[in-house]
Amino acid sequence: MTDLVCPDAPAATEYATVCVAWELSKAEWKLGMLLPGAQQMSRFAIKGGDLAAAAARLAAARAKAARSGLPVRILSCYEAGFEGHWLHRWLEGQGVVSHEVDPSSIEVNRRARQAKTDRIDLARIMRAFLAHLRGEPLACSIVHVPSPEEEDDKRPSRERERLLKERTAHTNRIKALLHAQGARDAKPLARDFLARLKDARTGDGRALPPRLAAEIAREHERLVLVDKQIAAIEAESKAECQKAAPGSSSAKVVQLARLKGLGITGAQVLVKEAFYRRFANRRQVGGSFGLAGTPYNSGEQERDQGISKAGNRRARTIAVELAWRWVLWQPESELARWFKARVGDAKGRVRRIAIVALARKLMVALWRYLETGVVPSGAVLSASL
């Protein structure tokens, strides 16, 4: 295999190329290797996470390919998923040109009943990877792998998102337990909640049963802890923004937060989840958020299936939320006027569809704002953060 073209490979006229596909699971890793000149793929199984065995297999393949006398390169791919990005970085450290593939981008058999084994999956990944190396653009989609620092920057906003759900669950649980006893309008986050709990009465005038009161107290203790952790994360984020270095991700957060209606939290999610990357054009921006349209045109049938939702879920969610806020806080901006002219006095589904279109336009405008410093047309900057 000396005719494959790969843009990530070092410059040279000809190579002895080894292609490696990985099928990963917790217990076992399957490796498929295609050596130069081979007609069939060799398959190997190693224990999951056994890097010594993986390195030995790569070294053996490199030694066999070197017999041709040509420079050797190893091109590797595996489906992005539970293993995260660490394996990609380890492979790069071994001198391997690694690719992470979006699993949903690989075509599958459309039969109602289809065989599925690790052996079949390995062959499917290898076929898609080889087609990608031949230059077929739709064979599979390669995942953008963030640096360790960029990946770690996502942790605060993602932890906050999870803690908010946990806080809501604790609050709802306490309210439900009290409501089942006829005690209404509870405010679990109030400072004097435990004091009021001691004096609480059921709907028929009884004191709360002791075991129920103890359960609610323990639930409230977990609620208070989660609330403190959320406050600590938000305080840390604000402190980072106050001492943001020029060109850093925190500086981008501050730049976005200057726009009225965005705020530190929304700007942080946008930057950490999406705008840490470099985009070449507005189509890449829309695609990364999953806000690109999905047409269905076949014969006489022409309809739109809605947005693809193929991008970052967290970024897409905050994009739509910020679009609603943009209409409220930036009513004189060009984008807000476009939205109002589009929907008029319509309610319901029409507004929900239009707000998604506005979200895509807004994300493109914010990307240009970060890249060029040009404020979106008609937008107002906040006096302070």
Side-chain angles (χ1 to χ4, degrees):
M1 298 178 63
T2 60
D3 57 343
L4 294 177
V5 177
C6 179
D8 300 323
T13 56
E14 199 172 10
Y15 295 95
T17 301
V18 180
C19 291
V20 183
W22 303 70
E23 173 65 21
L24 307 177
S25 66
K26 290 184 179 179
E28 191 176 55
W29 287 355
K30 297 290 182 64
L31 278 72
M33 289 188 174
L34 197 58
L35 295 174
Q39 299 299 318
Q40 292 186 348
M41 179 175 64
S42 301
R43 292 175 170 85
F44 306 94
I46 62 176
K47 184 179 179 181
D50 190 347
L51 296 182
R57 288 296 180 188
L58 294 175
R62 194 186 302 273
K64 289 182 180 179
R67 297 172 185 171
S68 65
L70 297 174
V72 177
R73 65 177 179 182
I74 300 180
L75 308 181
S76 167
C77 77
Y78 67 92
E79 292 181 332
F82 188 74
E83 291 288 348
H85 304 302
W86 72 269
L87 180 58
H88 169 85
R89 299 184 184 113
W90 180 82
L91 288 169
E92 292 283 345
Q94 298 293 312
V96 177
V97 181
S98 176
H99 304 73
E100 286 190 44
V101 178
D102 180 2
S104 63
S105 69
I106 301 178
E107 292 185 358
V108 297
N109 194 317
R110 295 172 59 189
R111 291 179 179 174
R113 291 186 179 181
Q114 52 181 299
K116 185 185 186 309
T117 64
D118 289 343
R119 184 182 183 88
I120 294 175
D121 289 345
L122 196 62
R124 176 174 54 85
I125 296 171
M126 180 63 83
R127 284 197 301 270
F129 186 47
L130 292 177
H132 169 75
L133 294 177
R134 288 194 300 267
E136 297 183 22
L138 301 181
C140 60
S141 298
I142 304 300
V143 174
H144 172 82
V145 180
S147 67
E149 294 74 21
E150 291 170 342
E151 189 174 10
D152 194 54
D153 276 347
K154 299 179 181 182
R155 297 265 50 93
S157 60
R158 293 188 177 187
E159 182 182 5
R160 181 181 178 275
E161 176 189 10
R162 188 180 67 255
L163 290 175
L164 285 175
K165 294 179 180 178
E166 188 175 341
R167 183 174 69 179
T168 301
H170 289 315
T171 302
N172 290 344
R173 176 62 177 166
I174 292 172
K175 289 182 177 181
L177 290 173
L178 291 173
H179 190 88
Q181 298 295 326
R184 299 171 177 266
D185 302 324
K187 297 180 179 179
L189 286 174
R191 293 184 178 180
D192 58 347
F193 173 77
L194 291 179
R196 291 188 178 186
L197 185 65
K198 295 178 181 179
D199 301 329
R201 291 291 183 271
T202 63
D204 55 353
R206 295 176 292 105
L208 289 179
R211 290 187 176 86
L212 175 62
E215 180 182 353
I216 293 175
R218 289 190 292 269
E219 191 82 28
H220 182 264
E221 185 177 355
R222 295 192 290 272
L223 172 62
V224 171
L225 174 60
V226 170
D227 194 54
K228 288 182 179 178
Q229 291 178 344
I230 293 174
I233 291 174
E234 292 176 347
E236 183 179 351
S237 298
K238 290 182 179 179
E240 288 180 359
C241 291
Q242 290 175 355
K243 58 180 181 181
S248 65
S249 60
S250 296
K252 290 184 177 181
V253 173
V254 173
Q255 184 178 351
L256 283 180
R258 290 198 178 101
L259 290 169
K260 188 176 180 181
L262 260 67
I264 292 292
T265 300
Q268 185 181 44
V269 176
L270 279 182
V271 171
K272 307 298 185 182
E273 297 292 343
F275 290 141
Y276 71 93
R277 293 178 53 183
R278 288 289 181 181
F279 298 106
N281 51 56
R282 60 185 178 84
R283 291 183 179 178
Q284 289 187 4
V285 176
S288 71
F289 282 88
L291 294 174
T294 311
Y296 183 94
N297 299 332
S298 179
E300 297 181 355
Q301 296 184 2
E302 292 188 12
R303 61 186 176 88
D304 190 271
Q305 303 177 96
I307 59 176
S308 66
K309 294 187 178 181
N312 187 304
R313 174 186 61 81
R314 294 178 178 88
R316 181 170 59 255
T317 299
I318 196 65
V320 175
E321 290 179 1
L322 291 179
W324 286 114
R325 291 176 61 87
W326 189 267
V327 174
L328 178 64
W329 291 98
Q330 301 279 6
E332 300 304 319
S333 66
E334 182 179 333
L335 290 175
R337 293 199 303 269
W338 172 87
F339 176 80
K340 293 175 183 177
R342 182 94 175 194
V343 302
D345 296 329
K347 304 292 183 182
R349 185 171 180 271
V350 174
R351 292 180 68 86
R352 293 195 297 271
I353 293 175
I355 204 66
V356 173
L358 176 63
R360 185 181 186 281
K361 291 177 176 289
L362 178 59
M363 294 304 104
V364 173
L366 295 182
W367 164 66
R368 288 173 176 163
Y369 170 56
L370 288 174
E371 292 293 321
T372 65
V374 178
V375 178
S377 180
V380 179
L381 298 177
S382 300
S384 59
L385 295 181

